[in-house]
Amino acid sequence: MVKHNNVIPNIHCKKKWHDSTRGPLKVKLSLNKASKKKSRRLTRAAKAAAIAPRPLQLLRPIVRAQTQKYSSKVRLGRGFTLAEVKAAGLTAAYARTVGIAVDHRRSNRSAESLDANVARLNEYKSKLVVFPKRRGTVKAGDSSKEETKAATQLLGAVMPLSKPADEIVMEDVTAELKANSAFTQMRVARQETKIDGYRISVINRKKKD
């Protein structure tokens, strides 16, 4: 039995581990994880070989994570907005053919995000190598023969996010920094905010008089 003031054991070891027991099998075993991992890797390699020298992944935009808690972090989004594609001088139909992900449901909520992703698209366009549809027939917008010959397949994410440096920047303490008092500034600002309404009422009273 249980000693002292503890919970009385009441466990239920009645899961259906075997098909021979009554009822359907309740426990599902996943003993094929290693083989599934290998098959996924082989599938990716076969797809990369089939579409070579085109990259395996698409170009994704830089977006902010959702909610106020995580909005300070940036990550790769689903696709570029129609406004971003248009500002970069492309159409949505053409962008999808050159490895750019387009999301017609997403919208820009700030000019900063629009400018950042337009710059990302322009950088991608400068590095892009477009093969002609027909061999030997180079049209406007296609890359030269030298560029197509030197093209190699990009493995992994296209233009991944660069992590900021973790180094701490040391700054010299000047006389101006020593003379500045953050506590005094906060106290004065708090007092100014406190009497701001009183000052406005005095000015309005003088105007009436």
Side-chain angles (χ1 to χ4, degrees):
M1 270 304 287
V2 180
K3 291 184 178 181
H4 312 297
N5 188 21
N6 292 318
V7 179
I8 299 174
N10 190 22
I11 60 174
H12 299 275
C13 301
K14 298 188 181 298
K15 288 187 180 296
K16 305 297 181 181
W17 286 90
H18 305 286
D19 287 324
S20 60
T21 55
R22 188 176 62 181
L25 185 66
K26 298 294 184 182
V27 178
K28 185 177 180 181
L29 302 177
S30 56
L31 304 176
N32 58 349
K33 285 188 175 181
S35 58
K36 283 290 184 181
K37 181 181 179 181
K38 182 180 178 181
S39 63
R40 287 195 300 269
R41 178 174 59 82
L42 294 177
T43 304
R44 284 196 303 270
K47 182 181 178 182
I51 65 174
R54 176 178 289 215
L56 191 61
Q57 300 183 24
L58 300 177
L59 178 69
R60 305 287 180 180
I62 298 174
V63 298
R64 292 276 174 182
Q66 288 185 341
T67 70
Q68 188 177 7
K69 182 179 180 180
Y70 300 104
S71 61
S72 60
K73 296 183 179 181
V74 293
R75 61 176 178 83
L76 294 179
R78 183 183 181 89
F80 291 90
T81 62
L82 299 177
E84 291 168 351
V85 174
K86 185 177 180 181
L90 302 171
T91 61
Y94 177 74
R96 289 188 175 100
T97 63
V98 292
I100 299 173
V102 181
D103 187 8
H104 66 278
R105 294 165 296 188
R106 190 175 142 253
S107 60
N108 294 103
R109 295 180 178 271
S110 64
E112 289 80 3
S113 67
L114 177 68
D115 296 339
N117 283 320
V118 169
R120 185 173 171 84
L121 284 172
N122 290 329
E123 184 183 356
Y124 179 75
K125 282 168 58 179
S126 64
K127 300 176 181 179
L128 186 64
V129 177
V130 181
F131 282 70
K133 284 188 176 181
R134 296 181 181 178
R135 186 173 296 177
T137 308
V138 180
K139 294 185 178 180
D142 296 339
S143 300
S144 61
K145 291 183 179 180
E146 293 77 13
E147 289 178 340
T148 54
K149 283 183 179 179
T152 57
Q153 188 177 29
L154 178 66
L155 301 176
V158 181
M159 294 174 60
L161 292 176
S162 58
K163 293 183 178 180
D166 296 332
E167 298 177 0
I168 300 174
V169 179
M170 305 300 290
E171 190 172 350
D172 296 333
V173 180
T174 60
E176 184 181 356
L177 289 174
K178 289 181 180 179
N180 186 20
S181 175
F183 175 74
T184 304
Q185 287 183 351
M186 291 171 61
R187 188 176 58 183
V188 170
R190 178 169 170 267
Q191 190 66 21
E192 290 288 332
T193 308
K194 220 172 186 181
I195 63 175
D196 190 33
Y198 173 73
R199 286 176 175 172
I200 293 174
S201 64
V202 170
I203 294 172
N204 293 336
R205 204 178 306 132
K206 288 181 178 180
K207 286 182 180 178
K208 289 180 180 180
D209 296 340

PDB file of all heavy atoms in Angstrom, residues 163-189:
ATOM      1  N   LYS A 163      22.373  35.585 -40.151  1.00  0.00           N
ATOM      2  CA  LYS A 163      22.206  35.837 -38.728  1.00  0.00           C
ATOM      3  C   LYS A 163      23.061  37.034 -38.303  1.00  0.00           C
ATOM      4  O   LYS A 163      24.197  37.179 -38.757  1.00  0.00           O
ATOM      5  CB  LYS A 163      22.613  34.602 -37.917  1.00  0.00           C
ATOM      6  CG  LYS A 163      21.691  33.410 -38.128  1.00  0.00           C
ATOM      7  CD  LYS A 163      22.101  32.258 -37.238  1.00  0.00           C
ATOM      8  CE  LYS A 163      21.152  31.076 -37.424  1.00  0.00           C
ATOM      9  NZ  LYS A 163      21.527  29.929 -36.556  1.00  0.00           N
ATOM     10  N   PRO A 164      22.546  37.891 -37.455  1.00  0.00           N
ATOM     11  CA  PRO A 164      23.343  39.033 -36.995  1.00  0.00           C
ATOM     12  C   PRO A 164      24.515  38.571 -36.127  1.00  0.00           C
ATOM     13  O   PRO A 164      24.449  37.536 -35.463  1.00  0.00           O
ATOM     14  CB  PRO A 164      22.350  39.872 -36.183  1.00  0.00           C
ATOM     15  CG  PRO A 164      21.289  38.902 -35.768  1.00  0.00           C
ATOM     16  CD  PRO A 164      21.197  37.886 -36.865  1.00  0.00           C
ATOM     17  N   ALA A 165      25.566  39.355 -36.159  1.00  0.00           N
ATOM     18  CA  ALA A 165      26.756  39.009 -35.390  1.00  0.00           C
ATOM     19  C   ALA A 165      26.475  39.125 -33.895  1.00  0.00           C
ATOM     20  O   ALA A 165      25.780  40.037 -33.436  1.00  0.00           O
ATOM     21  CB  ALA A 165      27.913  39.922 -35.784  1.00  0.00           C
ATOM     22  N   ASP A 166      27.021  38.189 -33.138  1.00  0.00           N
ATOM     23  CA  ASP A 166      26.822  38.177 -31.691  1.00  0.00           C
ATOM     24  C   ASP A 166      27.890  38.965 -30.939  1.00  0.00           C
ATOM     25  O   ASP A 166      27.909  38.946 -29.713  1.00  0.00           O
ATOM     26  CB  ASP A 166      26.819  36.726 -31.178  1.00  0.00           C
ATOM     27  CG  ASP A 166      25.652  35.934 -31.731  1.00  0.00           C
ATOM     28  OD1 ASP A 166      24.622  36.551 -32.036  1.00  0.00           O
ATOM     29  OD2 ASP A 166      25.776  34.704 -31.856  1.00  0.00           O
ATOM     30  N   GLU A 167      28.768  39.633 -31.661  1.00  0.00           N
ATOM     31  CA  GLU A 167      29.849  40.366 -31.008  1.00  0.00           C
ATOM     32  C   GLU A 167      29.319  41.614 -30.308  1.00  0.00           C
ATOM     33  O   GLU A 167      28.400  42.277 -30.796  1.00  0.00           O
ATOM     34  CB  GLU A 167      30.904  40.755 -32.032  1.00  0.00           C
ATOM     35  CG  GLU A 167      31.569  39.549 -32.706  1.00  0.00           C
ATOM     36  CD  GLU A 167      32.567  39.992 -33.761  1.00  0.00           C
ATOM     37  OE1 GLU A 167      32.707  41.226 -33.943  1.00  0.00           O
ATOM     38  OE2 GLU A 167      33.175  39.120 -34.392  1.00  0.00           O
ATOM     39  N   ILE A 168      29.904  41.926 -29.170  1.00  0.00           N
ATOM     40  CA  ILE A 168      29.524  43.115 -28.406  1.00  0.00           C
ATOM     41  C   ILE A 168      30.431  44.270 -28.828  1.00  0.00           C
ATOM     42  O   ILE A 168      31.661  44.148 -28.821  1.00  0.00           O
ATOM     43  CB  ILE A 168      29.653  42.862 -26.893  1.00  0.00           C
ATOM     44  CG1 ILE A 168      28.737  41.714 -26.469  1.00  0.00           C
ATOM     45  CG2 ILE A 168      29.335  44.126 -26.111  1.00  0.00           C
ATOM     46  CD1 ILE A 168      28.907  41.304 -25.032  1.00  0.00           C
ATOM     47  N   VAL A 169      29.810  45.376 -29.236  1.00  0.00           N
ATOM     48  CA  VAL A 169      30.569  46.550 -29.672  1.00  0.00           C
ATOM     49  C   VAL A 169      30.882  47.402 -28.443  1.00  0.00           C
ATOM     50  O   VAL A 169      29.970  47.867 -27.746  1.00  0.00           O
ATOM     51  CB  VAL A 169      29.771  47.363 -30.709  1.00  0.00           C
ATOM     52  CG1 VAL A 169      30.566  48.594 -31.140  1.00  0.00           C
ATOM     53  CG2 VAL A 169      29.422  46.490 -31.902  1.00  0.00           C
ATOM     54  N   MET A 170      32.160  47.582 -28.173  1.00  0.00           N
ATOM     55  CA  MET A 170      32.587  48.397 -27.031  1.00  0.00           C
ATOM     56  C   MET A 170      32.738  49.850 -27.469  1.00  0.00           C
ATOM     57  O   MET A 170      33.281  50.137 -28.535  1.00  0.00           O
ATOM     58  CB  MET A 170      33.915  47.866 -26.490  1.00  0.00           C
ATOM     59  CG  MET A 170      33.890  46.392 -26.113  1.00  0.00           C
ATOM     60  SD  MET A 170      32.684  45.993 -24.839  1.00  0.00           S
ATOM     61  CE  MET A 170      33.437  46.791 -23.431  1.00  0.00           C
ATOM     62  N   GLU A 171      32.263  50.753 -26.640  1.00  0.00           N
ATOM     63  CA  GLU A 171      32.290  52.173 -26.958  1.00  0.00           C
ATOM     64  C   GLU A 171      33.017  52.934 -25.848  1.00  0.00           C
ATOM     65  O   GLU A 171      32.889  52.590 -24.658  1.00  0.00           O
ATOM     66  CB  GLU A 171      30.866  52.705 -27.110  1.00  0.00           C
ATOM     67  CG  GLU A 171      30.813  54.113 -27.670  1.00  0.00           C
ATOM     68  CD  GLU A 171      29.393  54.538 -27.982  1.00  0.00           C
ATOM     69  OE1 GLU A 171      28.503  53.670 -27.931  1.00  0.00           O
ATOM     70  OE2 GLU A 171      29.168  55.740 -28.253  1.00  0.00           O
ATOM     71  N   ASP A 172      33.775  53.949 -26.254  1.00  0.00           N
ATOM     72  CA  ASP A 172      34.502  54.764 -25.293  1.00  0.00           C
ATOM     73  C   ASP A 172      33.532  55.684 -24.547  1.00  0.00           C
ATOM     74  O   ASP A 172      32.630  56.284 -25.148  1.00  0.00           O
ATOM     75  CB  ASP A 172      35.564  55.613 -26.004  1.00  0.00           C
ATOM     76  CG  ASP A 172      36.623  54.735 -26.643  1.00  0.00           C
ATOM     77  OD1 ASP A 172      36.842  53.618 -26.140  1.00  0.00           O
ATOM     78  OD2 ASP A 172      37.202  55.136 -27.669  1.00  0.00           O
ATOM     79  N   VAL A 173      33.746  55.807 -23.240  1.00  0.00           N
ATOM     80  CA  VAL A 173      32.909  56.663 -22.409  1.00  0.00           C
ATOM     81  C   VAL A 173      33.450  58.085 -22.496  1.00  0.00           C
ATOM     82  O   VAL A 173      34.558  58.372 -22.052  1.00  0.00           O
ATOM     83  CB  VAL A 173      32.899  56.176 -20.944  1.00  0.00           C
ATOM     84  CG1 VAL A 173      32.030  57.087 -20.093  1.00  0.00           C
ATOM     85  CG2 VAL A 173      32.412  54.739 -20.870  1.00  0.00           C
ATOM     86  N   THR A 174      32.664  58.977 -23.079  1.00  0.00           N
ATOM     87  CA  THR A 174      33.077  60.365 -23.254  1.00  0.00           C
ATOM     88  C   THR A 174      32.556  61.230 -22.106  1.00  0.00           C
ATOM     89  O   THR A 174      31.739  60.786 -21.283  1.00  0.00           O
ATOM     90  CB  THR A 174      32.549  60.900 -24.600  1.00  0.00           C
ATOM     91  OG1 THR A 174      31.122  60.819 -24.592  1.00  0.00           O
ATOM     92  CG2 THR A 174      33.096  60.076 -25.758  1.00  0.00           C
ATOM     93  N   ALA A 175      33.024  62.469 -22.097  1.00  0.00           N
ATOM     94  CA  ALA A 175      32.571  63.409 -21.061  1.00  0.00           C
ATOM     95  C   ALA A 175      31.093  63.742 -21.226  1.00  0.00           C
ATOM     96  O   ALA A 175      30.369  63.968 -20.252  1.00  0.00           O
ATOM     97  CB  ALA A 175      33.409  64.684 -21.122  1.00  0.00           C
ATOM     98  N   GLU A 176      30.622  63.752 -22.463  1.00  0.00           N
ATOM     99  CA  GLU A 176      29.205  64.031 -22.723  1.00  0.00           C
ATOM    100  C   GLU A 176      28.315  62.923 -22.147  1.00  0.00           C
ATOM    101  O   GLU A 176      27.253  63.195 -21.581  1.00  0.00           O
ATOM    102  CB  GLU A 176      28.988  64.162 -24.227  1.00  0.00           C
ATOM    103  CG  GLU A 176      27.568  64.547 -24.611  1.00  0.00           C
ATOM    104  CD  GLU A 176      27.391  64.644 -26.116  1.00  0.00           C
ATOM    105  OE1 GLU A 176      28.396  64.484 -26.845  1.00  0.00           O
ATOM    106  OE2 GLU A 176      26.245  64.842 -26.549  1.00  0.00           O
ATOM    107  N   LEU A 177      28.776  61.647 -22.304  1.00  0.00           N
ATOM    108  CA  LEU A 177      28.014  60.533 -21.745  1.00  0.00           C
ATOM    109  C   LEU A 177      28.009  60.579 -20.215  1.00  0.00           C
ATOM    110  O   LEU A 177      27.002  60.255 -19.573  1.00  0.00           O
ATOM    111  CB  LEU A 177      28.595  59.204 -22.226  1.00  0.00           C
ATOM    112  CG  LEU A 177      28.385  58.857 -23.697  1.00  0.00           C
ATOM    113  CD1 LEU A 177      29.144  57.586 -24.042  1.00  0.00           C
ATOM    114  CD2 LEU A 177      26.909  58.669 -23.998  1.00  0.00           C
ATOM    115  N   LYS A 178      29.135  60.979 -19.633  1.00  0.00           N
ATOM    116  CA  LYS A 178      29.190  61.073 -18.172  1.00  0.00           C
ATOM    117  C   LYS A 178      28.292  62.177 -17.633  1.00  0.00           C
ATOM    118  O   LYS A 178      27.676  62.038 -16.572  1.00  0.00           O
ATOM    119  CB  LYS A 178      30.634  61.328 -17.733  1.00  0.00           C
ATOM    120  CG  LYS A 178      31.561  60.125 -17.920  1.00  0.00           C
ATOM    121  CD  LYS A 178      32.962  60.456 -17.445  1.00  0.00           C
ATOM    122  CE  LYS A 178      33.891  59.268 -17.619  1.00  0.00           C
ATOM    123  NZ  LYS A 178      35.275  59.583 -17.180  1.00  0.00           N
ATOM    124  N   ALA A 179      28.209  63.294 -18.374  1.00  0.00           N
ATOM    125  CA  ALA A 179      27.392  64.417 -17.920  1.00  0.00           C
ATOM    126  C   ALA A 179      25.906  64.134 -18.068  1.00  0.00           C
ATOM    127  O   ALA A 179      25.078  64.752 -17.383  1.00  0.00           O
ATOM    128  CB  ALA A 179      27.762  65.685 -18.695  1.00  0.00           C
ATOM    129  N   ASN A 180      25.567  63.212 -18.955  1.00  0.00           N
ATOM    130  CA  ASN A 180      24.154  62.904 -19.196  1.00  0.00           C
ATOM    131  C   ASN A 180      23.616  61.978 -18.097  1.00  0.00           C
ATOM    132  O   ASN A 180      24.221  60.954 -17.783  1.00  0.00           O
ATOM    133  CB  ASN A 180      24.011  62.237 -20.570  1.00  0.00           C
ATOM    134  CG  ASN A 180      22.569  62.036 -20.948  1.00  0.00           C
ATOM    135  OD1 ASN A 180      21.685  62.683 -20.409  1.00  0.00           O
ATOM    136  ND2 ASN A 180      22.321  61.130 -21.874  1.00  0.00           N
ATOM    137  N   SER A 181      22.477  62.331 -17.518  1.00  0.00           N
ATOM    138  CA  SER A 181      21.855  61.534 -16.471  1.00  0.00           C
ATOM    139  C   SER A 181      20.506  61.021 -16.972  1.00  0.00           C
ATOM    140  O   SER A 181      19.573  61.812 -17.186  1.00  0.00           O
ATOM    141  CB  SER A 181      21.669  62.371 -15.200  1.00  0.00           C
ATOM    142  OG  SER A 181      20.970  61.620 -14.222  1.00  0.00           O
ATOM    143  N   ALA A 182      20.421  59.719 -17.177  1.00  0.00           N
ATOM    144  CA  ALA A 182      19.178  59.129 -17.671  1.00  0.00           C
ATOM    145  C   ALA A 182      18.059  59.261 -16.638  1.00  0.00           C
ATOM    146  O   ALA A 182      16.896  59.473 -16.988  1.00  0.00           O
ATOM    147  CB  ALA A 182      19.408  57.655 -18.021  1.00  0.00           C
ATOM    148  N   PHE A 183      18.408  59.131 -15.373  1.00  0.00           N
ATOM    149  CA  PHE A 183      17.397  59.243 -14.310  1.00  0.00           C
ATOM    150  C   PHE A 183      16.764  60.635 -14.300  1.00  0.00           C
ATOM    151  O   PHE A 183      15.540  60.775 -14.167  1.00  0.00           O
ATOM    152  CB  PHE A 183      18.037  58.936 -12.952  1.00  0.00           C
ATOM    153  CG  PHE A 183      17.118  59.149 -11.793  1.00  0.00           C
ATOM    154  CD1 PHE A 183      16.097  58.245 -11.535  1.00  0.00           C
ATOM    155  CD2 PHE A 183      17.255  60.252 -10.974  1.00  0.00           C
ATOM    156  CE1 PHE A 183      15.230  58.437 -10.464  1.00  0.00           C
ATOM    157  CE2 PHE A 183      16.407  60.455  -9.901  1.00  0.00           C
ATOM    158  CZ  PHE A 183      15.385  59.541  -9.656  1.00  0.00           C
ATOM    159  N   THR A 184      17.612  61.686 -14.462  1.00  0.00           N
ATOM    160  CA  THR A 184      17.091  63.051 -14.468  1.00  0.00           C
ATOM    161  C   THR A 184      16.187  63.277 -15.673  1.00  0.00           C
ATOM    162  O   THR A 184      15.132  63.917 -15.565  1.00  0.00           O
ATOM    163  CB  THR A 184      18.258  64.052 -14.487  1.00  0.00           C
ATOM    164  OG1 THR A 184      19.118  63.781 -13.373  1.00  0.00           O
ATOM    165  CG2 THR A 184      17.755  65.478 -14.401  1.00  0.00           C
ATOM    166  N   GLN A 185      16.582  62.747 -16.835  1.00  0.00           N
ATOM    167  CA  GLN A 185      15.759  62.902 -18.034  1.00  0.00           C
ATOM    168  C   GLN A 185      14.397  62.236 -17.850  1.00  0.00           C
ATOM    169  O   GLN A 185      13.354  62.800 -18.220  1.00  0.00           O
ATOM    170  CB  GLN A 185      16.478  62.293 -19.239  1.00  0.00           C
ATOM    171  CG  GLN A 185      17.652  63.122 -19.733  1.00  0.00           C
ATOM    172  CD  GLN A 185      18.274  62.506 -20.971  1.00  0.00           C
ATOM    173  OE1 GLN A 185      17.946  61.383 -21.357  1.00  0.00           O
ATOM    174  NE2 GLN A 185      19.195  63.216 -21.589  1.00  0.00           N
ATOM    175  N   MET A 186      14.386  61.045 -17.281  1.00  0.00           N
ATOM    176  CA  MET A 186      13.121  60.340 -17.062  1.00  0.00           C
ATOM    177  C   MET A 186      12.241  61.090 -16.061  1.00  0.00           C
ATOM    178  O   MET A 186      11.014  61.187 -16.224  1.00  0.00           O
ATOM    179  CB  MET A 186      13.401  58.924 -16.559  1.00  0.00           C
ATOM    180  CG  MET A 186      14.024  58.017 -17.590  1.00  0.00           C
ATOM    181  SD  MET A 186      14.579  56.450 -16.908  1.00  0.00           S
ATOM    182  CE  MET A 186      13.047  55.775 -16.290  1.00  0.00           C
ATOM    183  N   ARG A 187      12.857  61.631 -15.013  1.00  0.00           N
ATOM    184  CA  ARG A 187      12.091  62.356 -13.990  1.00  0.00           C
ATOM    185  C   ARG A 187      11.483  63.628 -14.563  1.00  0.00           C
ATOM    186  O   ARG A 187      10.320  63.947 -14.303  1.00  0.00           O
ATOM    187  CB  ARG A 187      13.007  62.665 -12.804  1.00  0.00           C
ATOM    188  CG  ARG A 187      12.276  63.237 -11.597  1.00  0.00           C
ATOM    189  CD  ARG A 187      13.224  63.412 -10.445  1.00  0.00           C
ATOM    190  NE  ARG A 187      14.335  64.279 -10.798  1.00  0.00           N
ATOM    191  CZ  ARG A 187      15.367  64.562  -9.989  1.00  0.00           C
ATOM    192  NH1 ARG A 187      15.414  63.993  -8.797  1.00  0.00           N
ATOM    193  NH2 ARG A 187      16.327  65.360 -10.369  1.00  0.00           N
ATOM    194  N   VAL A 188      12.279  64.356 -15.378  1.00  0.00           N
ATOM    195  CA  VAL A 188      11.772  65.593 -15.986  1.00  0.00           C
ATOM    196  C   VAL A 188      10.660  65.276 -16.981  1.00  0.00           C
ATOM    197  O   VAL A 188       9.628  65.967 -17.038  1.00  0.00           O
ATOM    198  CB  VAL A 188      12.931  66.360 -16.661  1.00  0.00           C
ATOM    199  CG1 VAL A 188      12.392  67.518 -17.494  1.00  0.00           C
ATOM    200  CG2 VAL A 188      13.914  66.867 -15.626  1.00  0.00           C
ATOM    201  N   ALA A 189      10.858  64.224 -17.776  1.00  0.00           N
ATOM    202  CA  ALA A 189       9.832  63.857 -18.755  1.00  0.00           C
ATOM    203  C   ALA A 189       8.545  63.442 -18.060  1.00  0.00           C
ATOM    204  O   ALA A 189       7.435  63.774 -18.523  1.00  0.00           O
ATOM    205  CB  ALA A 189      10.347  62.724 -19.635  1.00  0.00           C
TER     206      ALA A 189
END
